[in-house]
């Protein structure tokens, strides 16, 4: 009896390792944690740098200036002047205004100074203008590193499979989260963000490639991708509000320590389900990355992913600072402003993971990019945080339409026109996503400093509206002649059986 009872957990693990749903759960959790860490820093970094660098420096100068001089130096005016000149830490003063008034016969005049900012608004306009660029570069560092690492990860998954890269991604993400928790300077925050890009590259490419290889039917793959992107959406949904509230009421390190604990749970789940010591190379050689990049249909899909996500990438570093300057928003509002976009993105990815296949993924993406552009044009019209609800909701919902349409299309295009090995094509998809999050924050901060936040929104909004018609080319992509026989033959070589209905639907797609 005991031996039979001991074998039950092993049977459960063996069954779990062949289950499509548990693989989907692992990918969902990995994307959730990655994107929570991606967005939890959005409301924290601008205010943390402002507090530690601007207010910290000014408070030390102010304390030095208000420090009373020694009693021996307080007597006559000339002695006071000499002593102040000698003391380099205090501003040189001549006669006080009261003394000048007694000499000239005029009443004393109050010292002239610039008018104080409105109540609740931060001081240091010049510092905040420079901070747009610095925060933008910090946020972009993650995507830039991920951009460089992605092609190598795609090749690695073709050689050793998806299990080991997924676990490597977990380890690196855990280290990055701990670094964020204990970093107190811009340099260490920059390093932690760049390290996150390496871990995110392993998790995203391996996770999406694993889903595409497990869900071989196009319709089922679309549903699974929609659910997995729901994990991405939920991470974006929770990240910014969670970070702003925890930073305001608990402290900077608290949200990162919570994420580090959740990452450990994800690592335990991967050890149980994915067997990260297992090497399982693809049975067929995948299409080279450069061959895929020459495919115009893959480039159109990648461009849609890039430009639609570039809008929200530009908002991440610039919107909180713009809110601090124009709305005098407290810390907790800086993260809450992204809450409508996150909720609507979660709804959009799950809803159109199913609907996009019925209405046409090309049409879904075309409409989504147009709505992204219109929503971005409306963002600068907001006068307070409540005015951001509508534009941000439309933005999140539309990006969800594009992502849930383009991710399955990438796998479908490889099946239709190339070899059905998915590591490289999802490396390209992740590169497109990362280009949006690399170019967006780095150029967004510079554009805001040069011509202002409203013009930045106009530029990226018009780009999305102008790109939207190109999605029409994905309406009926042609099949390469040499792929016709091999693509139909692959239907009989499934890793997992399909229902009769799904086979009929897949044939209708052809």
């Amino acid at each position: 009896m005991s031996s039979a009872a001991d074998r039950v957990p092993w049977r459960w693990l063996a069954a779990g390792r062949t289950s499509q749903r548990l693989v989907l759960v692992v990918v969902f959790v990995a994307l959730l944690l990655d994107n929570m860490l991606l967005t939890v820093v959005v409301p924290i970094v601008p205010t943390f740098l402002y507090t530690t660098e601007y207010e910290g420096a000014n408070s030390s100068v102010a304390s030095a200036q208000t420090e009373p001089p020694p009693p021996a130096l307080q007597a006559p005016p000339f002695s006071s002047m000499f002593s102040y000149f000698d003391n380099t830490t205090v501003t040189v003063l001549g006669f006080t205004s009261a003394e000048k008034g007694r000499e000239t016969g005029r009443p004393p005049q109050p010292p002239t100074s610039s008018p104080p900012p409105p109540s609740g608004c931060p001081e240091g306009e010049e510092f905040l203008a420079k901070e747009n660029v610095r925060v933008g570069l910090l946020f972009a560092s993650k995507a830039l590193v991920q951009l460089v690492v992605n092609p190598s990860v795609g090749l690695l998954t073709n050689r050793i499979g998806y299990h080991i890269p997924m676990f490597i991604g977990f380890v690196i993400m855990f280290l990055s989260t701990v670094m964020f928790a204990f970093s107190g300077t811009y340099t260490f925050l920059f390093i932690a963000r760049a390290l996150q890009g390496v871990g995110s590259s392993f998790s995203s490419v391996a996770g999406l490639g694993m889903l595409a290889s497990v869900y071989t039917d196009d319709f089922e793959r679309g549903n699974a991708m929609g659910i997995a992107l729901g994990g991405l959406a939920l991470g974006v949904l929770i990240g910014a509000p969670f970070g702003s509230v925890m930073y305001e009421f608990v402290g900077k390190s608290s949200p990162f320590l919570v994420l580090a604990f959740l990452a450990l749970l994800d690592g335990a789940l991967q050890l149980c389900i994915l067997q990260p010591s297992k090497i399982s190379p693809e049975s067929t050689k995948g299409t080279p990355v450069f061959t895929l990049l020459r495919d115009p249909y893959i480039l159109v899909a990648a461009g849609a992913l890039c430009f639609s996500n570039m809008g929200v990438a530009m908002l991440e570093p610039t919107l909180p600072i713009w809110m601090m300057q124009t709305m005098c928003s407290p810390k907790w509002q800086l993260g809450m402003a992204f809450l409508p976009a996150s909720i609507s993105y979660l709804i959009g990815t799950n809803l159109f993971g199913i609907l996009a296949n019925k209405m046409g993924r090309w049409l879904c993406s075309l409409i989504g990019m147009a709505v992204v552009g219109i929503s971005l044009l409306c963002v600068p019209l907001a006068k307070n945080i409540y005015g951001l609800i509508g534009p941000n909701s439309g933005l999140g919902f539309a990006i969800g339409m594009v992502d849930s349409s383009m991710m399955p299309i990438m796998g479908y295009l490889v099946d239709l026109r190339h070899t059905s090995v998915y590591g490289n094509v999802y490396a390209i998809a992740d590169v497109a996503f990362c280009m949006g999050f690399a170019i967006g924050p780095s150029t967004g901060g510079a554009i805001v400093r040069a011509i202002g936040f409203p013009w930045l929104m106009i530029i990226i909004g018009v780009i999305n509206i102008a790109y939207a018609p190109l999605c029409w080319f994905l309406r009926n992509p042609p099949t390469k002649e040499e792929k016709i026989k091999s693509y139909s033959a692959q239907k009989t070589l499934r890793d997992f059986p399909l229902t009769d209905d799904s086979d009929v639907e897949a044939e209708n797609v052809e």
Side-chain angles (χ1 to χ4, degrees):
M1 292 292 291
S2 60
S3 60
D6 292 339
R7 283 196 292 268
V8 170
W10 297 109
R11 289 177 181 173
W12 182 85
L13 280 178
R17 287 167 178 168
T18 59
S19 170
Q20 292 172 302
R21 292 184 178 180
L22 284 180
V23 171
L24 179 57
V25 168
V26 170
V27 177
F28 179 94
V29 174
L31 293 178
L32 169 70
L33 292 176
D34 180 20
N35 286 276
M36 278 191 73
L37 184 58
L38 176 74
T39 55
V40 78
V41 301
V42 170
I44 294 176
V45 168
T47 51
F48 176 74
L49 292 177
Y50 178 83
T51 303
T52 56
E53 295 184 2
Y54 182 80
E55 291 184 350
N58 284 357
S59 62
S60 62
V61 171
S63 63
Q65 289 178 345
T66 55
E67 182 179 349
L73 303 178
Q74 291 180 352
F78 291 103
S79 173
S80 175
M81 286 174 63
F82 177 79
S83 299
Y84 276 140
F85 177 80
D86 188 58
N87 188 351
T88 58
T89 61
V90 182
T91 307
V92 177
L93 295 175
F95 296 103
T96 63
S97 59
E99 291 167 354
K100 288 182 180 179
R102 284 196 296 270
E103 286 193 359
T104 60
R106 293 195 302 265
Q109 299 294 324
T112 59
S113 62
S114 59
S119 177
C121 283
E123 301 177 359
E125 289 289 329
E126 182 62 23
F127 178 85
L128 289 173
K130 292 179 180 178
E131 192 180 5
N132 270 302
V133 180
R134 296 175 71 222
V135 172
L137 289 174
L138 188 146
F139 286 175
S141 63
K142 182 256 186 190
L144 286 170
V145 171
Q146 194 170 345
L147 198 64
V148 174
V149 175
N150 271 345
S152 302
V153 177
L155 294 173
L156 184 65
T157 57
N158 291 342
R159 291 175 179 269
I160 67 173
Y162 305 107
H163 301 77
I164 295 176
M166 275 287 290
F167 193 75
I168 293 173
F170 146 71
V171 173
I172 298 175
M173 291 288 293
F174 176 76
L175 294 176
S176 170
T177 307
V178 174
M179 277 195 69
F180 268 119
F182 299 105
S183 296
T185 64
Y186 179 86
T187 303
F188 282 107
L189 289 172
F190 192 94
I191 294 171
R193 184 72 167 183
L195 188 62
Q196 183 196 353
V198 180
S200 181
S201 180
F202 278 90
S203 297
S204 300
V205 174
L208 293 173
M210 186 183 300
L211 280 184
S213 65
V214 168
Y215 289 89
T216 52
D217 176 70
D218 183 58
F219 180 74
E220 291 182 348
R221 182 185 295 160
N223 294 345
M225 291 287 182
I227 295 171
L229 290 173
L232 184 152
L234 193 60
V236 175
L237 166 68
I238 299 172
F242 173 72
S244 60
V245 172
M246 292 289 283
Y247 178 45
E248 174 80 23
F249 299 108
V250 183
K252 169 187 162 286
S253 299
S254 56
F256 300 109
L257 293 177
V258 172
L259 289 182
F261 175 74
L262 294 177
L264 287 176
L265 296 181
D266 177 56
L269 185 64
Q270 291 191 31
L271 284 172
C272 293
I273 303 299
L274 294 187
Q275 292 178 281
S277 61
K278 179 182 177 183
I279 297 178
S280 52
E282 294 286 352
S283 56
T284 57
K285 186 178 180 181
T287 306
V289 173
F290 292 106
T291 302
L292 296 176
L293 286 173
R294 288 196 297 267
D295 189 324
Y297 298 95
I298 290 178
L299 288 180
V300 169
L305 285 171
C306 176
F307 289 118
S308 61
N309 284 281
M310 192 182 293
V312 73
M314 286 183 168
L315 280 179
E316 283 186 355
T318 56
L319 181 61
I321 297 174
W322 182 70
M323 291 173 65
M324 291 167 65
Q325 291 175 305
T326 61
M327 303 179 187
C328 308
S329 301
K331 293 177 184 177
W332 65 269
Q333 284 190 4
L334 304 182
M336 287 296 179
F338 293 92
L339 187 62
S342 305
I343 293 175
S344 58
Y345 183 87
L346 181 63
I347 296 171
T349 51
N350 284 279
L351 182 64
F352 286 95
I354 300 171
L355 289 182
N357 191 56
K358 296 181 179 179
M359 65 182 286
R361 293 191 177 117
W362 69 273
L363 179 61
C364 183
S365 182
L366 189 152
I367 296 172
M369 291 201 71
V371 176
V372 166
I374 295 170
S375 300
L376 289 169
L377 294 176
C378 294
V379 168
L381 303 178
K383 302 300 181 184
N384 52 47
I385 190 173
Y386 303 106
L388 292 170
I389 294 176
N392 282 359
S393 297
L395 180 64
F397 191 79
I399 294 175
M401 293 175 68
V402 177
D403 286 359
S404 60
S405 302
M406 289 297 105
M407 287 299 186
I409 278 183
M410 290 295 233
Y412 175 69
L413 287 172
V414 168
D415 283 340
L416 202 63
R417 299 170 57 79
H418 304 279
T419 306
S420 297
V421 178
Y422 306 100
N424 285 340
V425 77
Y426 283 109
I428 292 173
D430 209 37
V431 163
F433 185 83
C434 293
M435 284 186 68
F437 275 87
I439 298 172
S442 56
T443 60
I447 292 173
V448 167
R449 188 177 182 186
I451 58 177
F453 179 79
W455 278 106
L456 172 68
M457 294 294 100
I458 291 172
I459 291 170
I460 187 60
V462 170
I463 288 174
N464 272 273
I465 294 172
Y467 191 91
L470 293 179
C471 297
W472 183 86
F473 290 103
L474 299 174
R475 181 170 177 264
N476 190 20
T479 304
K480 285 192 175 179
E481 301 223 350
E482 63 269 20
K483 280 290 297 178
I484 294 177
K485 293 183 180 179
S486 62
Y487 181 63
S488 58
Q490 285 170 10
K491 291 180 177 296
T492 61
L493 300 175
R494 309 284 192 186
D495 291 336
F496 296 91
L498 298 173
T499 62
D500 293 335
D501 293 338
S502 60
D503 275 318
V504 171
E505 290 170 356
E507 290 172 3
N508 290 337
V509 171
E510 288 184 43

